[in-house]
Amino acid sequence: MHEWSIAESVISAVIEEAKKERLEEITEVRIRIGELQRMEDEIFMFALDELRKGVGLLKNVKIEVETEGVLFGCRMCGNEWKGMDLNEDEYEAIHFCPEVSHAYIRCPSCGSPDFEIMKGRGVIILSLIHI
Ligand code: ZN
């Protein structure tokens, strides 16, 4: 499932970083997830928790997850707007194929379909706190 594979890549990125930096134990990890990832928080947290078990350097880790809302930026007029008004179909379409969003969404200011998704995509590890 989606949540599990993302959780897996987060955990392995954290382990990689810990090895590179020769960290002994990580106490806190902060992650930012774009709204367009459409994650089920509960499943994601459960997956992270399961996956960190048995990893020595993550035995006492606290994982914080924050969500980043969608922000669009128009290439024609520079207008920026939030993705609050997207309906389910639009969310699904963008989630699976961001390029498709141009068929659904127009700049509310000038009507152009030429915009970029400035925020709300991807998964970022914001910080690691370690001993
Ligand atoms: Zn515009």
Side-chain angles (χ1 to χ4, degrees), residues 74-79 81 107-112 114:
C74 178
R75 290 201 184 94
M76 297 305 286
C77 73
N79 181 38
W81 73 99
C107 169
S109 167
C110 73
S112 167
D114 189 11

Side-chain angles (χ1 to χ4, degrees), residues 82-101:
K82 296 199 171 100
M84 308 284 219
D85 300 333
L86 298 182
N87 64 36
E88 274 304 300
D89 288 348
E90 290 167 343
Y91 260 125
E92 281 305 302
I94 298 171
H95 170 213
F96 286 112
C97 178
E99 288 65 36
V100 163
S101 62

Side-chain angles (χ1 to χ4, degrees), residues 17-130:
E17 184 64 18
K19 278 186 186 156
K20 207 170 77 192
E21 302 290 327
R22 297 176 195 282
L23 309 176
E24 282 179 18
E25 191 179 339
I26 294 173
T27 53
E28 196 183 312
V29 177
R30 296 178 58 84
I31 306 165
R32 180 186 289 158
I33 297 173
E35 198 183 345
L36 290 173
Q37 295 296 133
R38 315 253 21 219
M39 300 272 271
E40 291 288 344
D41 290 349
E42 263 171 50
I43 301 173
F44 184 59
M45 295 309 285
F46 178 75
L48 284 173
D49 206 47
E50 285 296 303
L51 291 165
R52 73 167 181 88
K53 285 178 188 166
V55 181
L57 62 93
L58 298 177
K59 65 178 187 290
N60 293 314
V61 76
K62 192 167 133 248
I63 300 176
E64 302 260 0
V65 177
E66 60 176 63
T67 307
E68 183 181 70
V70 186
L71 185 71
F72 298 102
C74 178
R75 290 201 184 94
M76 297 305 286
C77 73
N79 181 38
E80 290 182 4
W81 73 99
K82 296 199 171 100
M84 308 284 219
D85 300 333
L86 298 182
N87 64 36
E88 274 304 300
D89 288 348
E90 290 167 343
Y91 260 125
E92 281 305 302
I94 298 171
H95 170 213
F96 286 112
C97 178
E99 288 65 36
V100 163
S101 62
H102 298 275
Y104 287 85
I105 299 163
R106 298 276 180 277
C107 169
S109 167
C110 73
S112 167
D114 189 11
F115 60 85
E116 55 189 324
I117 301 169
M118 302 175 75
K119 284 185 182 170
R121 291 171 74 176
V123 179
I124 301 162
I125 297 172
L126 292 175
S127 63
L128 299 180
I129 298 173
H130 60 91

